[in-house]
Structures are given as C-alpha cells and as structure tokens.
Amino acid sequence: MRIVIDMQGAQSTGSRNRGIGRYSIALAEAVIQQRGTHEVLLALNGAFANTIESLRAQFSQVLPKENIRVWEGSPGSGELGPDANPWRRGACELLREAFINSLRPDVVLVTSLFEGLNDGAVTSVGLLDQAVPTAVILYDLIPLINRKQYLENPEVEEWYERKLASARRAKVLLAILDASRREALRYLSADPSACLSISTAADPRFKPMEIDEARRSEVLERLGLSRSFIMYTGGIDHRKNIEGLIRAYALLQKSLRSVHQLAIVCSVQPADRSRLSKLVVDSGLDADEVVFTGFVSDSDLVALYNLCKLFVFPSWHEGFGLPALEAMSCGRAVVAANTSSLPEVIGRADALFDPHSGADIARSISQA
C-alpha cells in the first residue's frame, strides 16, 4: 500500500509552531516507523519554501529523500488579504489534488484540513474525484460550535463551510480525542463507523529533566523571569481565556504573587500585547508580575515546562489541549478547565476548575 501524507499542518504559518504542527510531524514519524512493507510519501507545499529543507532533514533518517515530494501552487491562493483570488485558490485546490493523484496513492492522510485562511496552504477533499480514500485528522469543530465568536466575517464563514464540506467527503475522520469524535457525530452527522478516535500523545522530548543552574539562569533572564513562575502556553485566542487567567492571578494572595510570576509563553501580536498589558495594570498587578515571553523555541519550551512551579490551562474549548499533556509529561502539576476535552486529558477531577469563574481558577491555583 502507498500512503501519501499531506504535511501542510507542519508548514502553514498558523500551525507549524503550535500543537498541530508538532502533532503532524509526530504522527507522520510514527506512521513511517510502523510502515512495515507499506510505502509512505510526504507531500509538501512549495509555497512554504522556508520549511522544506528542515522537514527533509527531520525525516532524512527514516525516509528516502525521493519519498518527500513538493508541489507548487500559485501566489494569492489564501482566502483573505489583498492578493486573495478565488479563481486561483480554486485552481490550486484542483492542482494539489491532481499532484497527489499523480503519486498513485492507495490512501491519503491530511494532517490538517482547516488551513489557508491567511496564507498559501491549500487543502480540499474530493473536488477532482473521490476515487482515492482520504483520511482527515479532526482536531475540533470550535468555530462551528461557536459561530458568533469565529464566523461573523462572511469570508471566514465561507472558507470554513468549504472545509466542512471537504471533511464530509473524507472517507474517514480521525478524531484526536473522544470529545472531538462526539463533536463530529453531533455537528457533522458523521457515520460512527467512519469517525474514529485515535487520541494523541506528547512528543518524547517532553519529559522530566534536570536543568543545570547555568541553563536555568540563561533561559529565565533572557525571557524576563526573575523568580518562580506559574506557566501558560498555547496561543492568544478568545477561547484560550488569557484574560480570565490574568484576572484570576490578580485574585491570588499577594504573598503567592510575590513568589510566583505568571508567564504567558506564546507569540503575542503587538495589539494583543498592548491590550493584555493594560488588563494587567487595570487588574491592580505590578508590571513584573505577568511576563509575556513571546515565541520560544522547542528547547526553551521543554526547559520552561520543567522549571515552572505550576502549569495552568484555562481554555474553555479545546480539541485536545496538548500543552497540558506536555506539562504533565515533564512531571509538572497541572490544573485546567473542566470543559470540552480537558477532563479527558487531565484525568483528575480535583485538578479542574470552572474557566468562567475567576474565583474558581484562583482557588485551584492556590490549592495546587
């Protein structure tokens, strides 16, 4: 059997540096390692030229170089932006499917379907033909379930609905958790026999480790951390509930805050940084009590997981919540919201809180 894996989940600007990107790579590596007599090909989008060589290098020890193929689309295939062009986008979707068909696959695996809103990622299922069965990884249906927050823009809504149509044409949906599978059954009316929960796992690099004093001091000083810290990582998004976390942190006793800073570890756009910094001040916190580190490398992220006193994940809707699992894999205490997938990931009722209640978040942090 020839398996073709679309790797744009590890390439796109919105996913490659987040959980989807790490998951896409880890899943492809696992398929390759367990391929037996099957043949695996990776399909890369040439629009993300800066990712191609690093991905080739990452898979060079487990896959022949000729099994990593690159297809070229056309500029302006994104959904939004001044260069967006619906005709070019539609042509690129057909071009990608034709390229994949030219590889003569027995099955196609799409690591991330909901791509291409703001960049050159191109994904679709069954527009050219439906002869080759396609499996799609399903992370969540958050925008569909929360239309008011995510789909008010008609152009975004049209893009998302087209992706949903592709998901419905997929032969199999592979949900990353039982909670995601339940969403597909309820909101897509998916066939239960063709919608499977395959779960996920943290990459092996996320593990307990001793961080020597020199490395500890270098990382903390570079990122603006001066003492013990409570950590969050994930992203800046309405559902991530960063505002709720900051307000809850402000409710902690001063004696706790004086010992433990709050570290928000993720890329933050200038407008979001300004807005959240104002919230810090408005909440009565000193400027150094909340630290926005910005984007960090994977090696720094592993170090921070190992160095933090507590990991807090206040998101009120997740497809999985991989950062919580990564932190636990590093041996850290974790508290998280009691909603969507997180109870399934955490597995402890006493480590959960109501994400809509600042007092309950603060109680959980204090208890931990």
Side-chain angles (χ1 to χ4, degrees), residues 21-39:
R22 294 200 297 276
Y23 182 83
S24 297
I25 291 172
L27 181 62
E29 288 176 337
V31 171
I32 292 166
Q33 289 165 0
Q34 300 178 68
R35 66 187 182 274
T37 59
H38 303 302
E39 183 181 16

Side-chain angles (χ1 to χ4, degrees), residues 27 130 158 269 276 280 290 321 328 341 347 364:
L27 181 62
Q130 298 186 42
E158 196 275 335
Q269 296 302 312
L276 292 172
V280 169
V290 180
M328 289 192 290
S341 61
S364 189

Side-chain angles (χ1 to χ4, degrees), residues 260-308:
H260 307 294
Q261 292 172 292
L262 174 62
I264 308 295
V265 181
C266 58
S267 177
V268 185
Q269 296 302 312
D272 288 324
R273 183 183 290 271
S274 176
R275 174 177 58 82
L276 292 172
S277 296
K278 182 177 185 301
L279 176 60
V280 169
V281 174
D282 292 346
S283 299
L285 295 167
D286 295 335
D288 76 329
E289 290 187 274
V290 180
V291 177
F292 300 96
T293 68
F295 172 76
V296 301
S297 66
D298 281 351
S299 62
D300 281 350
L301 182 60
V302 174
L304 289 169
Y305 278 138
N306 275 273
L307 291 170
C308 74

Side-chain angles (χ1 to χ4, degrees), residues 319-349:
F320 186 91
L322 191 57
L325 182 59
E326 290 171 346
M328 289 192 290
S329 297
C330 291
R332 296 299 89 190
V334 175
V335 293
N338 61 5
T339 56
S340 66
S341 61
L342 291 170
E344 196 175 338
V345 174
I346 301 298
R348 289 184 60 138

